[in-house]
Amino acid sequence: MSINKFFRCLLAIILLLVTGCHERATDLEQVSYEDRIVIKFSHVVAESTPKGQAANRFAALVKERTGGRVEVQVYPNSVLYKDGEEMEALSKGQVQMIAPATAKVAERYPLWQIFDLPFLFFSEEEVHRVMDGEVGRQLFQMLEQHRVKAIAMWDNGFKQITTTVPLRQLEDFKGIKFRVMPGSGVREGQFRRLGAETVPLGFNEVYKALEEGMVQGTENSASNIYSKKFYELQPYLTISNHGYLGYVVLVNASFWDSLPEDIKVIIEETMEEVTHWQREVATKQNAADLEAILKTGKVEAWWLTPEEKERWRQMMMPVYRDFENLGGSRLLASARRELELEY
Ligand code: LMR
């Protein structure tokens, strides 16, 4: 071995030892004197969606504000980890940041199902009151105890129902198999109360499951229905706004603790700014994507009247008791206080 090669090998071994000694993810090929920090940010939706756009914007701003010292690598569309894998990958430090739907966090921490309770929220403003208030604080603390740091809550929007078969009245739910996000008894419960069946599936599996007839129904926001083209397979759309789809941005706590203070400040401030922006984008995009779906001419849409909403709500109400039986009474009481609800 030439002397040159020997020194190069030695340098590589030293770098490996040094970078292996702390929790920070560093991109070995890029390791430089500034000790670049790499944050792998994995998510499951398209880049064009509110979450996808916000992840990219966050990455660009952090890079700019840290002078390239922090590189946020965004992996959209389940290309790195899919539903069911993301939370584990985060706790093992295989990725440093994820932004799962609150429902998916509920797979490990069931009280996160509070955001899935049907007809709990009637506007984004109400959702934000709960996310950013006492309930959000309690949920964040719960994660902190498990070494998961929650740094923001992002929006998608209210969920609508899409089906391959006509659905015009409550009785039509009978016999329809609905895809539900894994990890929540509340969502399964709400459909079962309406007489439907449920099949928990990851987001990446939904299109194929619809194509193969494994499921006929799904619930999702307009931006997800549009970006994944579910409307091509499901010509019936019910504008029900029965539940809410939101996200929590999570960071591996050991990784977070290993970051220099100045970097933490930049990340937190940038995240706050992006969260503000993301919520505005989400509202506008869901409205625009609903328009776009209707304009395709491929779906027949049905808007629930206030009376129908009330009937659906009554039928789904028992899932509130299920949530309380999971130990959610206090959290639900806090949410009701924040929302000034009587029921
Ligand atoms: C879904 O699985 O339907 C959604 O949670 C996907 C997402 O992250 O918006």
Side-chain angles (χ1 to χ4, degrees), residues 43-46 49 51 83 86 99-104 155-156 159 179-182 201-204 206 218-221 223-224 228 230 245-247:
H43 69 80
V44 302
V45 292
T49 58
K51 174 162 69 180
D83 281 342
E86 274 190 334
T102 53
K104 292 170 191 167
D155 279 350
N156 191 319
K159 289 184 286 186
R179 174 264 171 170
V180 286
M181 287 186 257
L201 289 173
F203 190 53
N204 60 316
V206 180
T218 58
E219 53 164 3
N220 228 313
S221 64
S223 69
N224 279 348
K228 290 294 172 198
F230 295 151
L245 172 61
Y247 307 112

Side-chain angles (χ1 to χ4, degrees), residues 18-19 40 107 163 172 177 186 230 248 268 294 296 305 336 339:
V18 170
T19 54
K40 288 194 163 79
E107 237 174 325
T163 47
D172 294 338
K177 284 202 181 98
V186 163
F230 295 151
V248 55
E268 276 174 335
L294 297 175
T296 62
T305 63
R336 281 177 166 142
L339 296 170

Side-chain angles (χ1 to χ4, degrees), residues 34-93:
E34 310 99 42
D35 193 12
R36 182 173 295 190
I37 298 165
V38 174
I39 298 178
K40 288 194 163 79
F41 186 163
S42 169
H43 69 80
V44 302
V45 292
E47 287 184 285
S48 60
T49 58
K51 174 162 69 180
Q53 288 185 54
N56 290 349
R57 188 177 176 89
F58 173 72
L61 289 174
V62 166
K63 187 171 182 181
E64 185 189 305
R65 290 169 187 179
T66 59
R69 203 167 144 211
V70 178
E71 189 187 339
V72 182
Q73 299 174 348
V74 183
Y75 297 89
N77 276 319
S78 313
V79 291
L80 198 56
Y81 291 104
K82 37 186 205 290
D83 281 342
E85 299 174 346
E86 274 190 334
M87 286 294 288
E88 197 177 341
L90 184 81
S91 43
K92 286 189 174 158

Side-chain angles (χ1 to χ4, degrees), residues 150-204:
I151 57 171
M153 290 207 65
W154 286 355
D155 279 350
N156 191 319
F158 282 91
K159 289 184 286 186
Q160 320 302 349
I161 301 243
T162 41
T163 47
T164 58
V165 291
L167 190 146
R168 281 289 171 267
Q169 47 197 351
L170 276 172
E171 291 68 37
D172 294 338
F173 272 97
K174 282 201 182 65
I176 299 183
K177 284 202 181 98
F178 274 87
R179 174 264 171 170
V180 286
M181 287 186 257
S184 161
V186 163
R187 283 184 316 278
E188 290 182 279
Q190 79 184 359
F191 284 122
R192 274 192 261 107
R193 305 286 166 176
L194 299 176
E197 292 171 46
T198 54
V199 182
L201 289 173
F203 190 53
N204 60 316

